[in-house]
Amino acid sequence: MMFSAKSAIFVAVVLFACLTSGHVPEEDQELITLVRLLEDDDTGEEELAEVLLSVEDEVTVDFMIVNEELGDYLVRSSDERVFEVEVLGNDDNTVPVNETFQVKITGKFLGIESLQFVDVEGDLIAATYTIKVKRVPKAISVIFTYTLLVWLIISYVSMGALMDWPTLKERLYPPWPIIIGMICQFILMPLVTFILANILPVDNPTAVGIVLVGTCPGGWLSNIFSVLLDVDFILSVTMTFFSSIAGMAMMPFNIFIYATPFIQDNTNLQTPFGDLALNLVLLVVACVIGILLGWKFEKFRTFCEKVLKPIAVLLVVFGLGLGIPADIHMFYSDWPIWVAALVTPLIGAYLGLSLARIFALPIKKSVTIALETGVQNALLARTVVYLYYPQPEGDLVGRVQTLTVLITLVEGCLISIIYQLSRFLFCRGKNDDEVDLKEDESKVRETNGNKLPDKSHEAESGIENPAFYDKTVV
């Protein structure tokens, strides 16, 4: 109890520090008055202090530094990887005060940085001007985004078709796996990703992207891994269905709580809650349509069962083939973004597995909860970001979701390969029912001496997995 109390206090202190600090940038000292001169008015001052250009574009901007004290100022880029700067007519990029000068800005890479005016003598940043560099629009990016949307709809229709109501009811009573999954997905994961976004040295768009991943409900990918790892597929589908319904309220609620500190004055980072809710409703409707089709047409359910694995592999390969070229910029992300994408699924899986084992759930149900918690529906967040966020903020926020999906695929495939190899090498000749029965017998012997379990436990503990179910066995 003492350890638990100390842990709770530590988490509370970390959370309070994150909430009170956020990602508030250090404000530069405005020692001078910086005026951007418009082309049609040599005396006008632009209200919006930013320049938006594409990669490889060049923009020439007229400025004037107004200051009573004479002196020279150095014009420089806060990050030359994003954009380069050149003062026309001056090789050393220094400019005098109270005179008009021209600055050529060349976009190099996706990002939001600042044009800095530095006092040469004191080496102080006297003023800044926001520079935004966006990607050149490509057709493959648009195709990939709408392909993801179709992918999500098809996956939820097939998920609904595989949901059998009598079997589903068995997973609802007792409802502890569903409740534990909800706690992990909508209470723990948003908090974990919020703390992670504060700990890692990332900018505000990236922090919003990390939080978006943590607020997502479970996705279809977790159902695929539950098939590949021979765990409780029906429970996985059930958890995905109910988390999608709960996500219509909980995802916007958590985004409002945890993403707001990172938005600050950048209105382009504000979450389009209406569009987000519409996409969540669309996915639930697709799942309900799948349920009705599976209930009405048995052949449709059988078709979904047979093609689940091949379609999953095909969609993954197709998604990677389109996604990597469309989002090639994500591979140039800084190390904190890679760390966030790497550890978020692992932390989610660890929390789900730990909480399930604390409540003494069977190992296969525990692993199912771990998959559902660790494999968040980042594809949903990525689709919403690219459809409704302006650029370059959309690309900056979406890097985290795309990398998370890619790393989750790699992690999940490696674990699945290791499991299948281990099963082939050490469990040949044993089917899942035999292994589950032995587990049940050992548990009963530990608690009730040598009393063997009733055969009715056999179906309850076995994996009701449509992808592997042999209809010839009664």
Side-chain angles (χ1 to χ4, degrees):
M1 290 299 293
M2 182 63 66
F3 175 77
S4 300
K6 288 182 179 179
S7 301
I9 293 173
F10 174 76
V11 172
V13 170
V14 172
L15 178 60
F16 176 77
C18 292
L19 286 171
T20 53
S21 63
H23 269 254
V24 181
E26 296 181 2
E27 296 186 0
D28 300 318
Q29 301 180 28
E30 296 294 336
L31 304 178
I32 59 177
T33 301
L34 180 66
V35 178
R36 175 181 174 183
L37 302 177
L38 302 179
E39 294 181 359
D40 57 350
D41 183 4
D42 290 342
T43 61
E45 182 176 356
E46 186 169 304
E47 294 292 336
L48 185 61
E50 69 177 36
V51 172
L52 176 63
L53 69 160
S54 299
V55 175
E56 301 301 334
D57 278 357
E58 294 182 354
V59 175
T60 301
V61 185
D62 294 341
F63 286 104
M64 176 185 290
I65 295 177
V66 180
N67 193 22
E68 295 180 357
E69 298 182 3
L70 298 179
D72 292 334
Y73 290 87
L74 174 67
V75 182
R76 69 185 184 188
S77 169
S78 60
D79 189 345
E80 292 187 349
R81 295 175 302 173
V82 177
F83 74 93
E84 293 179 350
V85 60
E86 177 186 356
V87 178
L88 299 182
N90 197 335
D91 296 335
D92 59 1
N93 281 359
T94 59
V95 294
V97 298
N98 302 323
E99 294 183 16
T100 302
F101 56 91
Q102 289 186 320
V103 177
K104 185 174 74 172
I105 303 168
T106 305
K108 304 300 292 183
F109 193 72
L110 171 71
I112 300 177
E113 295 295 334
S114 61
L115 185 66
Q116 298 177 343
F117 296 82
V118 183
D119 182 7
V120 175
E121 295 182 359
D123 198 26
L124 297 174
I125 299 177
T128 59
Y129 202 85
T130 302
I131 308 295
K132 296 182 178 181
V133 181
K134 64 179 182 178
R135 286 191 300 157
V136 178
K138 295 181 180 179
I140 192 171
S141 298
V142 179
I143 295 173
F144 179 56
T145 298
Y146 285 96
T147 299
L148 280 182
L149 188 59
V150 174
W151 180 352
L152 286 169
I153 294 174
I154 292 176
S155 65
Y156 273 74
V157 171
S158 62
M159 180 184 71
L162 295 174
M163 296 176 67
D164 179 53
W165 178 244
T167 309
L168 188 64
K169 285 196 301 183
E170 296 179 5
R171 297 301 185 274
L172 295 178
Y173 303 102
W176 301 119
I178 309 294
I179 294 174
I180 292 173
M182 293 286 189
I183 292 174
C184 291
Q185 287 178 322
F186 296 120
I187 297 178
L188 297 182
M189 284 304 294
L191 177 59
V192 166
T193 51
F194 175 73
I195 295 175
L196 195 63
N198 277 277
I199 293 175
L200 293 174
V202 295
D203 54 19
N204 287 335
T206 302
V208 172
I210 294 173
V211 170
L212 282 178
V213 173
T215 58
C216 287
W220 183 65
L221 200 55
S222 62
N223 307 149
I224 298 302
F225 286 138
S226 70
V227 171
L228 296 176
L229 294 174
D230 293 335
V231 291
D232 200 329
F233 174 78
I234 297 299
L235 176 60
S236 178
V237 171
T238 305
M239 292 180 65
T240 301
F241 176 69
F242 282 100
S243 69
S244 299
I245 295 176
M248 290 190 293
M250 293 303 298
M251 187 176 179
F253 177 73
N254 282 319
I255 291 175
F256 177 76
I257 291 177
Y258 295 112
T260 300
F262 305 114
I263 294 174
Q264 298 177 4
D265 296 330
N266 191 346
T267 57
N268 289 341
L269 289 177
Q270 291 181 353
T271 304
F273 290 106
D275 297 322
L276 175 62
L278 181 62
N279 277 267
L280 290 170
V281 170
L282 180 64
L283 294 182
V284 173
V285 170
C287 187
V288 172
I289 291 175
I291 293 174
L292 295 176
L293 289 175
W295 171 71
K296 188 71 175 177
F297 305 102
E298 184 66 27
K299 290 184 178 180
F300 181 74
R301 180 196 299 274
T302 304
F303 172 77
C304 290
E305 292 176 0
K306 289 182 178 179
V307 303
L308 181 62
K309 274 188 175 181
I311 290 295
V313 174
L314 180 63
L315 286 176
V316 169
V317 173
F318 184 70
L320 290 176
L322 277 178
I324 291 178
D327 290 343
I328 192 68
H329 63 280
M330 68 180 176
F331 291 104
Y332 299 94
S333 301
D334 293 333
W335 67 265
I337 300 177
W338 284 91
V339 170
L342 176 66
V343 303
T344 298
L346 298 178
I347 293 175
Y350 175 77
L351 290 174
L353 181 64
S354 299
L355 200 59
R357 297 303 288 170
I358 288 174
F359 284 88
L361 292 183
I363 185 61
K364 291 191 175 181
K365 282 186 172 61
S366 300
V367 174
T368 304
I369 295 173
L371 288 174
E372 197 68 19
T373 306
V375 186
Q376 301 285 85
N377 197 353
L379 287 177
L380 170 63
R382 195 270 184 200
T383 305
V384 171
V385 164
Y386 279 77
L387 284 177
Y388 304 114
Y389 277 70
Q391 298 300 334
E393 284 82 0
D395 282 330
L396 295 174
V397 173
R399 291 177 301 179
V400 185
Q401 289 99 54
T402 310
L403 276 178
T404 301
V405 173
L406 179 62
I407 292 177
T408 301
L409 277 172
V410 173
E411 293 172 344
C413 290
L414 286 176
I415 294 173
S416 300
I417 291 172
I418 293 172
Y419 166 74
Q420 294 294 343
L421 286 176
S422 302
R423 190 169 181 266
F424 174 78
L425 293 174
F426 303 111
C427 301
R428 282 184 292 181
K430 298 180 181 179
N431 56 38
D432 292 330
D433 292 334
E434 292 176 349
V435 174
D436 292 335
L437 183 58
K438 288 183 178 180
E439 289 180 357
D440 285 344
E441 290 177 354
S442 62
K443 289 180 181 178
V444 172
R445 285 194 179 100
E446 290 177 359
T447 55
N448 301 329
N450 293 325
K451 181 181 177 181
L452 293 177
D454 191 349
K455 293 293 183 181
S456 61
H457 291 286
E458 198 171 335
E460 189 177 38
S461 62
I463 311 168
E464 299 178 83
N465 197 331
F468 293 102
Y469 182 69
D470 187 358
K471 292 183 171 61
T472 62
V473 179
V474 180

